């Protein structure tokens, strides 16, 4: 009897083993979508399955069955869909319950973990926590090279875990950009930084704020451009930054950071100068920015650098060329009739008219005389000088310019007076040497005054014909002129014009044959003599 029982048991074991060998375990997993998005709360059942599975907020599921399973079923409330399993079905099945395909933006969500930091810690996800600890420690030590590998693993596999992934990642990419030794390497890091901003928006929103940061980084690391960049390439750089800035301001409204408002006006101005943005759009942007600043001033009067921001916006718009004289005169004429005794109003109006080159109108002349009567200050004398320049009374203009320079104590205003008087001496009196003297006075206050640098470059270029009877010596003057145009490119207001002039005057450089007879080689130090008396570098 015992023998029979043992044989039966042995046969059972053999049969169970045979069945187990034939019906191997099968794990099926994937993502369920509804309305084009990952669907939570979907019940997933498989034929021969051990137990039903359920999708989480990320739409993911996993069920265990065997290789003999013939179907898998997905149920959401009263809605159910069954799929037959075949040899070609595979073990990863992605389904749309309502037939709406998942958004393309979700294509790379497959296989990644969308839990937040608290959920990952609660789940004791060791892979996450080990890599987080490793990259954080390297990051604190500023060892970005070592931090990159564990950081990138988290960035790729746990994109919703913590905002620090994006804050720290941006800092690391910026460091790599600044240390890049080739243009190709720099461009690759810039591209990675831009994609990081997009991924941050995707998983943490804050679209308006992040778009502003994205635009700032784009412009920062693509400008100033290389010497040989074309205007079309320059315009493309500005246009991309401009589009992102516009979107940021639209999203943020009165919560927009003030530097972003300034940057939007700067890019508007540059695109206008490149012929890639209509004047009307610049005026529209100015109105939007001015309105937002008025709201900010009303609701948050203690906002940092608010006064400086307002002044910068006025300066940018005033020099943009977007506000034509006809419009400003139409606006200010009735106001002047009512407020001609208001000194502050007169100052504001005259500054705006002057910035937009509306200083040859009867309104400007009347307001300048009225302001000088009320307060014969340096600024009033300066406006009188401008008035007489327009009336072609050079002697009176010169007298008022000198009065303004003598009276003014504000270094910022004095810098402007020096520059404009230098321009007057060049344009009206052809006094190149004296014009350079006052341009240098402006540069002594601000070495980065790009307009003064441009003026000296113009002075040298204009004087080259009369500089010497020798063709080679005349052409060497262009070396110094281009030096000044290249320095002027660092200024936002002069970038486009300075680039154009530098490219134009390079064509007047000496050629190698002429230099050979002078025993001068490429890169040699060379002093241009005469009244110029400056040291430069030989180029051909």
């Amino acid at each position: 009897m015992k023998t029979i029982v043992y044989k039966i048991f042995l046969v059972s074991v053999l049969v169970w083993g045979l069945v187990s060998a034939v019906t191997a375990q099968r794990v099926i997993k994937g993502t369920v979508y509804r309305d084009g998005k990952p669907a939570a709360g979907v019940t997933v059942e498989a034929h021969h399955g051990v137990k039903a599975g359920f999708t989480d907020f990320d739409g993911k599921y996993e069920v265990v069955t065997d290789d003999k399973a013939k179907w898998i079923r997905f149920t959401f409330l009263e809605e159910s869909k069954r799929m037959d399993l075949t040899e070609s079905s595979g073990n990863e099945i992605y389904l749309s319950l309502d037939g709406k395909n998942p958004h393309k933006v979700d294509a790379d969500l497959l296989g990644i973990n969308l839990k937040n930091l608290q959920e990952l810690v609660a789940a004791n996800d060791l892979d996450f926590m080990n890599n987080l600890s490793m990259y954080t420690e390297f990051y604190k030590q500023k060892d970005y090279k070592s931090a990159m590998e564990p950081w990138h693993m988290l960035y790729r596999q746990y994109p919703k875990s913590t905002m620090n992934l994006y804050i720290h990642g941006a800092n690391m990419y910026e460091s790599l950009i600044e240390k890049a030794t080739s243009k190709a390497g720099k461009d690759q890091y810039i591209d990675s930084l831009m994609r990081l901003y997009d991924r941050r928006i995707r998983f943490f929103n804050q679209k308006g704020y992040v778009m502003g940061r994205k635009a700032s980084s784009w412009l920062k690391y693509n400008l100033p451009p290389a010497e040989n960049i074309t205007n079309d390439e320059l315009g493309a750089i500005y246009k991309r930054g401009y589009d992102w800035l516009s979107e940021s301001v639209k999203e943020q409204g009165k919560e927009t950071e003030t530097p972003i408002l300034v940057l939007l006006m700067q890019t508007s101005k540059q695109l206008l100068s490149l012929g890639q943005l209509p004047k009307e759009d610049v005026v529209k942007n100015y109105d939007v920015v001015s309105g937002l600043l008025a709201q900010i001033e009303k609701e948050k009067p203690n906002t940092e650098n608010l006064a400086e921001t307002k002044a910068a916006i006025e300066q940018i718009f005033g020099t943009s060329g977007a506000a034509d004289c006809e419009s400003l005169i139409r606006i200010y004429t009735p106001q002047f009739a009512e407020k001609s005794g208001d000194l502050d109003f007169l100052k504001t109006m005259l500054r705006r008219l002057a910035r937009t080159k509306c200083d040859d109108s009867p309104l400007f002349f009347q307001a300048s005389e009225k302001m000088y009567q009320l307060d014969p200050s340096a600024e009033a004398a300066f406006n009188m000088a401008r008035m007489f320049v327009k009336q072609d009374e050079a002697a009176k203009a010169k007298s008022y310019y000198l009065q303004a320079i003598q009276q003014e104590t504000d270094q910022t205003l004095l810098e402007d007076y020096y520059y404009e008087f230098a321009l007057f001496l060049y344009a009206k009196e052809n006094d190149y040497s004296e014009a350079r003297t006052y341009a240098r006075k402006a540069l002594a206050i601000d070495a980065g005054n790009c307009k003064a640098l441009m003026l000296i470059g113009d002075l040298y270029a204009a004087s080259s014909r009369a500089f010497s009877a020798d063709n080679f010596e005349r052409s060497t003057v262009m070396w110094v002129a281009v030096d000044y145009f290249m320095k002027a490119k660092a200024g936002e207001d002069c970038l486009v014009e300075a680039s154009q002039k530098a490219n134009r005057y390079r064509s007047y450089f000496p050629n190698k044959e002429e230099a050979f007879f002078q025993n001068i080689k490429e890169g040699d130090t060379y002093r241009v003599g005469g009244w110029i008396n400056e040291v430069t570098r030989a180029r051909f």
Side-chain angles (χ1 to χ4, degrees):
M1 182 68 180
K2 288 182 179 180
T3 303
I4 294 172
V5 172
Y6 175 76
K7 286 181 178 179
I8 293 173
F9 173 74
L10 182 61
V11 170
S12 298
V13 170
L14 290 171
V15 171
W16 180 85
L18 180 62
V19 170
S20 298
V22 174
T23 58
Q25 186 184 71
R26 180 180 182 183
V27 178
I28 301 175
K29 58 185 177 180
T31 305
V32 182
Y33 295 91
R34 193 168 183 275
D35 291 327
K37 300 177 181 178
V42 178
T43 303
V44 185
E45 303 168 277
H47 182 224
H48 292 170
V50 177
K51 63 177 180 178
F54 300 90
T55 60
D56 203 342
F57 66 94
D58 56 4
K60 296 186 182 302
Y61 72 89
E62 183 176 301
V63 290
V64 179
T65 181
D66 59 43
D67 61 357
K68 296 296 184 181
K70 296 182 178 180
W71 51 262
I72 185 169
R73 182 167 51 231
F74 304 87
T75 305
F76 180 74
L77 300 177
E78 302 299 321
E79 186 178 1
S80 183
K81 185 172 284 190
R82 174 175 147 164
M83 291 179 61
D84 291 334
L85 296 175
T86 65
E87 291 182 2
S88 61
S89 297
N91 291 328
E92 289 191 13
I93 297 175
Y94 301 94
L95 176 79
S96 174
L97 280 174
D98 52 10
K100 294 182 180 179
N101 292 325
H103 301 307
K104 289 182 179 179
V105 74
D106 292 327
D108 63 343
L109 293 181
L110 305 179
I112 70 170
N113 193 318
L114 293 178
K115 292 179 179 178
N116 61 33
L117 180 62
Q118 291 75 18
E119 291 168 334
L120 290 165
V121 172
N124 196 30
D125 190 321
L126 296 179
D127 200 23
F128 168 77
M129 290 189 290
N130 288 339
N131 279 281
L132 178 66
S133 175
M134 196 184 315
Y135 113 72
T136 302
E137 190 58 37
F138 285 130
Y139 180 84
K140 287 178 181 176
Q141 298 170 15
K142 297 189 183 298
D143 183 358
Y144 298 153
K145 183 177 180 181
S146 300
M148 262 295 172
E149 185 175 345
W151 170 84
H152 199 270
M153 180 271 178
L154 298 176
Y155 173 72
R156 186 179 63 251
Q157 294 296 325
Y158 298 89
K160 210 170 182 179
S161 58
T162 168
M163 179 78 80
N164 279 342
L165 281 178
Y166 302 94
I167 297 171
H168 294 168
N171 291 338
M172 289 193 288
Y173 275 128
E174 287 180 352
S175 176
L176 291 169
I177 291 167
E178 290 166 2
K179 293 177 181 178
T181 56
S182 68
K183 185 180 186 303
K186 180 181 178 182
D187 289 344
Q188 183 179 353
Y189 291 136
I190 291 173
D191 182 64
S192 295
L193 178 59
M194 297 302 106
R195 285 188 281 111
L196 178 143
Y197 285 124
D198 291 338
R199 197 168 175 85
R200 174 175 173 177
I201 291 170
R202 180 179 176 186
F203 293 110
F204 286 92
N205 205 352
Q206 296 183 312
K207 182 178 179 181
Y209 171 80
V210 178
M211 288 298 284
R213 292 304 176 95
K214 180 181 179 181
S216 299
S217 295
W218 170 259
L219 293 169
K220 176 181 178 181
Y221 292 117
N222 283 286
L223 298 172
E227 284 187 30
N228 59 351
I229 194 168
T230 66
N231 282 350
D232 286 343
E233 292 169 329
L234 184 60
I237 292 170
Y238 276 118
K239 186 62 170 63
R240 180 172 291 186
Y242 170 82
D243 289 342
W244 291 334
L245 289 165
S246 299
E247 192 170 356
S248 173
V249 172
K250 182 179 179 181
E251 289 277 337
Q252 288 291 90
K254 63 184 179 182
E255 300 302 319
T256 305
E257 296 176 289
T258 53
I260 299 301
L261 297 175
V262 173
L263 202 52
L264 176 61
M265 288 306 301
Q266 287 175 329
T267 53
S268 299
K269 176 182 175 180
Q270 292 301 328
L271 286 170
L272 176 64
S273 71
L274 288 164
Q276 296 192 24
L277 194 70
K279 184 185 296 185
E280 292 75 15
D281 283 5
V282 180
V283 175
K284 178 183 174 183
N285 289 336
Y286 171 74
D287 288 339
V288 169
V289 169
S290 297
L292 291 175
L293 286 173
Q295 283 184 275
I296 293 170
E297 186 173 29
K298 181 179 179 181
E299 298 177 19
K300 301 176 182 178
N302 296 323
T303 298
E304 187 177 0
N305 297 325
L306 182 58
E308 292 84 351
T309 299
K310 290 174 66 179
I313 296 299
E314 290 297 326
Q315 191 274 335
I316 294 166
F317 180 64
T319 57
S320 69
D324 56 66
C325 293
E326 184 180 349
S327 299
L328 291 179
I329 290 171
R330 186 173 62 251
I331 293 168
Y332 281 127
T333 297
Q335 295 182 25
F336 176 66
E338 295 177 8
K339 303 179 181 179
S340 61
D342 185 335
L343 189 59
D344 289 335
F345 164 76
L346 291 174
K347 287 180 179 179
T348 300
M349 181 185 71
L350 286 167
R351 289 169 185 171
R352 173 69 62 77
L353 290 171
R355 281 198 297 265
T356 52
K357 303 191 184 303
C358 294
D359 49 0
D360 59 351
S361 65
L363 177 61
F364 185 87
F365 299 157
Q366 294 166 21
S368 295
E369 290 176 329
K370 187 65 178 177
M371 181 176 169
Y372 194 78
Q373 291 170 10
L374 293 173
D375 178 24
S377 62
E379 185 175 0
F382 182 66
N383 286 328
M384 291 292 286
R386 282 183 155 183
M387 180 184 76
F388 284 120
V389 168
K390 297 299 180 181
Q391 293 176 346
D392 206 22
E393 295 191 47
K396 289 183 179 179
K398 187 171 185 178
S399 174
Y400 278 108
Y401 272 130
L402 291 171
Q403 180 185 337
I405 288 170
Q406 186 177 10
Q407 288 182 223
E408 189 57 71
T409 57
D410 185 299
Q411 291 296 293
T412 301
L413 292 175
L414 189 56
E415 178 189 346
D416 290 338
Y417 297 173
Y418 282 145
Y419 165 73
E420 191 158 315
F421 186 47
L423 189 61
F424 166 83
L425 292 168
Y426 168 43
K428 295 295 184 179
E429 298 191 352
N430 292 320
D431 191 340
Y432 298 151
S433 180
E434 191 69 1
R436 182 181 65 175
T437 296
Y438 280 93
R440 284 177 170 175
K441 286 178 182 287
L443 290 169
I445 296 173
D446 177 9
N449 186 322
C450 68
K451 293 188 295 182
L453 291 166
M454 287 278 290
L455 178 56
I456 294 176
D458 287 334
L459 289 169
Y460 289 161
S463 69
S464 62
R465 286 188 180 182
F467 181 74
S468 171
D470 182 80
N471 286 336
F472 178 79
E473 289 186 358
R474 284 201 300 270
S475 60
T476 63
V477 173
M478 296 306 178
W479 288 339
V480 192
V482 170
D483 289 345
Y484 276 90
F485 293 134
M486 294 306 297
K487 290 177 185 176
K489 281 179 63 176
E492 183 78 17
D493 291 336
C494 304
L495 176 58
V496 174
E497 187 181 2
S499 298
Q500 292 170 342
K501 287 190 174 184
N503 290 333
R504 182 192 313 156
Y505 288 115
R506 282 194 191 96
S507 65
Y508 296 102
F509 282 177
N511 59 47
K512 290 185 178 180
E513 290 75 14
E514 292 173 322
F516 175 78
F517 290 109
Q518 302 290 333
N519 197 29
I520 295 173
K521 300 185 295 296
E522 182 96 20
D524 281 355
T525 299
Y526 183 86
R527 178 176 292 279
V528 177
W531 74 275
I532 293 177
N533 194 31
E534 294 224 34
V535 175
T536 184
R537 179 173 54 85
R539 285 149 288 172
F540 308 116

mmCIF file of all heavy atoms in Angstrom, residues 9 30 49 68 83 103 111 120 129 137-138 155 157 185 194 216 223 287 310 317 362 380 443 481 506:
data_model
loop_
_atom_site.group_PDB
_atom_site.id
_atom_site.type_symbol
_atom_site.label_atom_id
_atom_site.label_comp_id
_atom_site.label_asym_id
_atom_site.label_seq_id
_atom_site.Cartn_x
_atom_site.Cartn_y
_atom_site.Cartn_z
ATOM 1 N N PHE A 9 2.406 9.640 -5.590
ATOM 2 C CA PHE A 9 3.033 10.931 -5.240
ATOM 3 C C PHE A 9 4.128 11.276 -6.238
ATOM 4 O O PHE A 9 4.248 12.404 -6.714
ATOM 5 C CB PHE A 9 3.611 10.832 -3.824
ATOM 6 C CG PHE A 9 4.415 12.046 -3.431
ATOM 7 C CD1 PHE A 9 3.784 13.249 -3.123
ATOM 8 C CD2 PHE A 9 5.810 11.981 -3.404
ATOM 9 C CE1 PHE A 9 4.524 14.349 -2.779
ATOM 10 C CE2 PHE A 9 6.539 13.099 -3.072
ATOM 11 C CZ PHE A 9 5.913 14.288 -2.745
ATOM 12 N N GLY A 30 3.000 47.695 -18.774
ATOM 13 C CA GLY A 30 2.861 48.755 -19.775
ATOM 14 C C GLY A 30 2.173 49.971 -19.185
ATOM 15 O O GLY A 30 2.162 50.161 -17.965
ATOM 16 N N GLY A 49 -4.139 34.796 -14.879
ATOM 17 C CA GLY A 49 -3.383 35.693 -14.016
ATOM 18 C C GLY A 49 -3.496 35.340 -12.558
ATOM 19 O O GLY A 49 -4.511 34.815 -12.104
ATOM 20 N N LYS A 68 0.630 30.615 -21.412
ATOM 21 C CA LYS A 68 -0.546 30.070 -22.081
ATOM 22 C C LYS A 68 -1.706 31.067 -22.070
ATOM 23 O O LYS A 68 -2.781 30.766 -22.602
ATOM 24 C CB LYS A 68 -0.993 28.767 -21.394
ATOM 25 C CG LYS A 68 0.021 27.638 -21.475
ATOM 26 C CD LYS A 68 0.248 27.205 -22.911
ATOM 27 C CE LYS A 68 1.196 26.012 -22.970
ATOM 28 N NZ LYS A 68 1.452 25.582 -24.359
ATOM 29 N N MET A 83 -7.966 42.502 -25.096
ATOM 30 C CA MET A 83 -7.025 42.267 -26.193
ATOM 31 C C MET A 83 -6.587 40.816 -26.189
ATOM 32 O O MET A 83 -6.298 40.243 -25.132
ATOM 33 C CB MET A 83 -5.771 43.147 -26.033
ATOM 34 C CG MET A 83 -5.999 44.621 -26.240
ATOM 35 S SD MET A 83 -4.451 45.545 -25.998
ATOM 36 C CE MET A 83 -3.421 44.817 -27.292
ATOM 37 N N HIS A 103 -0.177 61.806 -26.043
ATOM 38 C CA HIS A 103 0.536 62.957 -26.584
ATOM 39 C C HIS A 103 1.987 62.584 -26.862
ATOM 40 O O HIS A 103 2.606 61.815 -26.133
ATOM 41 C CB HIS A 103 0.499 64.119 -25.587
ATOM 42 C CG HIS A 103 -0.897 64.552 -25.256
ATOM 43 N ND1 HIS A 103 -1.814 64.886 -26.213
ATOM 44 C CD2 HIS A 103 -1.519 64.689 -24.057
ATOM 45 C CE1 HIS A 103 -2.948 65.227 -25.628
ATOM 46 N NE2 HIS A 103 -2.798 65.111 -24.330
ATOM 47 N N GLY A 111 8.792 53.850 -18.977
ATOM 48 C CA GLY A 111 9.901 53.284 -18.224
ATOM 49 C C GLY A 111 10.527 54.199 -17.194
ATOM 50 O O GLY A 111 11.522 53.836 -16.579
ATOM 51 N N LEU A 120 9.193 58.564 -3.082
ATOM 52 C CA LEU A 120 10.353 57.707 -3.325
ATOM 53 C C LEU A 120 11.028 57.286 -2.028
ATOM 54 O O LEU A 120 11.479 56.146 -1.885
ATOM 55 C CB LEU A 120 11.347 58.440 -4.230
ATOM 56 C CG LEU A 120 10.889 58.633 -5.685
ATOM 57 C CD1 LEU A 120 11.757 59.674 -6.375
ATOM 58 C CD2 LEU A 120 10.940 57.307 -6.431
ATOM 59 N N MET A 129 17.790 56.925 -3.973
ATOM 60 C CA MET A 129 18.433 57.563 -2.822
ATOM 61 C C MET A 129 19.957 57.503 -2.904
ATOM 62 O O MET A 129 20.641 58.463 -2.543
ATOM 63 C CB MET A 129 17.927 56.924 -1.528
ATOM 64 C CG MET A 129 16.457 57.286 -1.243
ATOM 65 S SD MET A 129 15.884 56.783 0.398
ATOM 66 C CE MET A 129 15.831 55.010 0.204
ATOM 67 N N GLU A 137 26.506 65.193 -2.957
ATOM 68 C CA GLU A 137 27.789 65.383 -2.285
ATOM 69 C C GLU A 137 28.832 65.962 -3.251
ATOM 70 O O GLU A 137 29.560 66.895 -2.917
ATOM 71 C CB GLU A 137 28.283 64.046 -1.722
ATOM 72 C CG GLU A 137 29.488 64.174 -0.804
ATOM 73 C CD GLU A 137 29.234 65.084 0.393
ATOM 74 O OE1 GLU A 137 28.114 65.070 0.935
ATOM 75 O OE2 GLU A 137 30.178 65.831 0.768
ATOM 76 N N PHE A 138 28.886 65.429 -4.463
ATOM 77 C CA PHE A 138 29.815 65.964 -5.470
ATOM 78 C C PHE A 138 29.457 67.407 -5.826
ATOM 79 O O PHE A 138 30.335 68.247 -6.023
ATOM 80 C CB PHE A 138 29.799 65.098 -6.730
ATOM 81 C CG PHE A 138 30.528 63.793 -6.587
ATOM 82 C CD1 PHE A 138 29.917 62.597 -6.959
ATOM 83 C CD2 PHE A 138 31.824 63.755 -6.087
ATOM 84 C CE1 PHE A 138 30.599 61.390 -6.835
ATOM 85 C CE2 PHE A 138 32.510 62.555 -5.965
ATOM 86 C CZ PHE A 138 31.887 61.361 -6.341
ATOM 87 N N TYR A 155 17.916 62.643 -13.408
ATOM 88 C CA TYR A 155 17.268 63.559 -14.360
ATOM 89 C C TYR A 155 16.483 62.781 -15.414
ATOM 90 O O TYR A 155 15.379 63.177 -15.810
ATOM 91 C CB TYR A 155 18.354 64.418 -15.005
ATOM 92 C CG TYR A 155 17.915 65.319 -16.135
ATOM 93 C CD1 TYR A 155 17.151 66.454 -15.901
ATOM 94 C CD2 TYR A 155 18.313 65.039 -17.450
ATOM 95 C CE1 TYR A 155 16.779 67.290 -16.941
ATOM 96 C CE2 TYR A 155 17.954 65.874 -18.493
ATOM 97 C CZ TYR A 155 17.182 66.990 -18.234
ATOM 98 O OH TYR A 155 16.829 67.819 -19.279
ATOM 99 N N GLN A 157 15.595 59.285 -15.162
ATOM 100 C CA GLN A 157 14.693 58.252 -14.651
ATOM 101 C C GLN A 157 13.717 58.742 -13.581
ATOM 102 O O GLN A 157 12.675 58.126 -13.376
ATOM 103 C CB GLN A 157 15.521 57.092 -14.063
ATOM 104 C CG GLN A 157 16.334 56.342 -15.095
ATOM 105 C CD GLN A 157 15.462 55.631 -16.121
ATOM 106 O OE1 GLN A 157 14.384 55.146 -15.800
ATOM 107 N NE2 GLN A 157 15.918 55.594 -17.361
ATOM 108 N N GLY A 185 31.423 72.214 -28.669
ATOM 109 C CA GLY A 185 31.162 71.781 -27.298
ATOM 110 C C GLY A 185 30.245 72.740 -26.570
ATOM 111 O O GLY A 185 29.310 72.327 -25.871
ATOM 112 N N MET A 194 18.948 74.271 -22.643
ATOM 113 C CA MET A 194 17.621 74.649 -23.123
ATOM 114 C C MET A 194 16.619 73.512 -22.918
ATOM 115 O O MET A 194 15.477 73.729 -22.507
ATOM 116 C CB MET A 194 17.678 75.027 -24.611
ATOM 117 C CG MET A 194 18.528 76.242 -24.945
ATOM 118 S SD MET A 194 18.016 77.763 -24.103
ATOM 119 C CE MET A 194 19.320 77.924 -22.856
ATOM 120 N N SER A 216 16.963 84.260 -20.955
ATOM 121 C CA SER A 216 18.141 84.959 -20.428
ATOM 122 C C SER A 216 19.408 84.161 -20.682
ATOM 123 O O SER A 216 20.435 84.705 -21.112
ATOM 124 C CB SER A 216 17.977 85.217 -18.926
ATOM 125 O OG SER A 216 16.858 86.027 -18.663
ATOM 126 N N LEU A 223 25.514 85.589 -27.030
ATOM 127 C CA LEU A 223 25.963 86.955 -27.302
ATOM 128 C C LEU A 223 27.043 87.320 -26.283
ATOM 129 O O LEU A 223 26.975 86.894 -25.133
ATOM 130 C CB LEU A 223 24.802 87.939 -27.162
ATOM 131 C CG LEU A 223 23.617 87.751 -28.117
ATOM 132 C CD1 LEU A 223 22.478 88.666 -27.710
ATOM 133 C CD2 LEU A 223 24.040 88.060 -29.555
ATOM 134 N N ASP A 287 4.368 99.614 -24.347
ATOM 135 C CA ASP A 287 3.116 99.864 -23.627
ATOM 136 C C ASP A 287 2.843 98.761 -22.608
ATOM 137 O O ASP A 287 2.424 99.031 -21.473
ATOM 138 C CB ASP A 287 1.941 99.959 -24.617
ATOM 139 C CG ASP A 287 1.975 101.236 -25.438
ATOM 140 O OD1 ASP A 287 2.638 102.192 -24.994
ATOM 141 O OD2 ASP A 287 1.349 101.266 -26.513
ATOM 142 N N LYS A 310 12.726 101.214 -14.532
ATOM 143 C CA LYS A 310 11.918 102.188 -15.264
ATOM 144 C C LYS A 310 12.802 103.097 -16.116
ATOM 145 O O LYS A 310 12.480 103.375 -17.277
ATOM 146 C CB LYS A 310 11.094 103.020 -14.282
ATOM 147 C CG LYS A 310 9.977 102.236 -13.600
ATOM 148 C CD LYS A 310 9.280 103.072 -12.535
ATOM 149 C CE LYS A 310 8.539 104.236 -13.137
ATOM 150 N NZ LYS A 310 7.841 105.034 -12.110
ATOM 151 N N PHE A 317 13.611 102.423 -24.997
ATOM 152 C CA PHE A 317 12.553 102.807 -25.928
ATOM 153 C C PHE A 317 12.883 104.131 -26.604
ATOM 154 O O PHE A 317 12.666 104.307 -27.807
ATOM 155 C CB PHE A 317 11.222 102.912 -25.193
ATOM 156 C CG PHE A 317 10.070 103.296 -26.082
ATOM 157 C CD1 PHE A 317 9.662 102.455 -27.108
ATOM 158 C CD2 PHE A 317 9.414 104.498 -25.901
ATOM 159 C CE1 PHE A 317 8.604 102.812 -27.935
ATOM 160 C CE2 PHE A 317 8.356 104.866 -26.727
ATOM 161 C CZ PHE A 317 7.949 104.006 -27.741
ATOM 162 N N PRO A 362 9.388 122.677 -33.351
ATOM 163 C CA PRO A 362 9.037 123.899 -32.597
ATOM 164 C C PRO A 362 8.706 123.597 -31.130
ATOM 165 O O PRO A 362 9.018 124.393 -30.250
ATOM 166 C CB PRO A 362 7.808 124.422 -33.349
ATOM 167 C CG PRO A 362 7.977 123.919 -34.741
ATOM 168 C CD PRO A 362 8.605 122.559 -34.584
ATOM 169 N N ALA A 380 19.213 122.411 -18.678
ATOM 170 C CA ALA A 380 18.524 123.403 -19.498
ATOM 171 C C ALA A 380 19.482 123.980 -20.548
ATOM 172 O O ALA A 380 19.108 124.175 -21.714
ATOM 173 C CB ALA A 380 17.968 124.508 -18.611
ATOM 174 N N LEU A 443 34.703 108.501 -21.920
ATOM 175 C CA LEU A 443 35.217 107.167 -21.614
ATOM 176 C C LEU A 443 35.909 107.105 -20.260
ATOM 177 O O LEU A 443 35.956 106.046 -19.622
ATOM 178 C CB LEU A 443 36.192 106.716 -22.708
ATOM 179 C CG LEU A 443 35.550 106.397 -24.065
ATOM 180 C CD1 LEU A 443 36.620 106.227 -25.136
ATOM 181 C CD2 LEU A 443 34.701 105.134 -23.960
ATOM 182 N N ALA A 481 40.939 102.090 -36.177
ATOM 183 C CA ALA A 481 39.495 102.335 -36.258
ATOM 184 C C ALA A 481 38.712 101.065 -35.939
ATOM 185 O O ALA A 481 37.769 101.077 -35.135
ATOM 186 C CB ALA A 481 39.129 102.854 -37.651
ATOM 187 N N ARG A 506 37.429 96.630 -42.523
ATOM 188 C CA ARG A 506 38.469 95.613 -42.692
ATOM 189 C C ARG A 506 38.911 95.512 -44.155
ATOM 190 O O ARG A 506 40.044 95.122 -44.451
ATOM 191 C CB ARG A 506 37.962 94.247 -42.230
ATOM 192 C CG ARG A 506 37.943 94.049 -40.724
ATOM 193 C CD ARG A 506 37.757 92.584 -40.364
ATOM 194 N NE ARG A 506 37.494 92.454 -38.941
ATOM 195 C CZ ARG A 506 36.275 92.364 -38.411
ATOM 196 N NH1 ARG A 506 35.224 92.375 -39.200
ATOM 197 N NH2 ARG A 506 36.111 92.265 -37.115
#
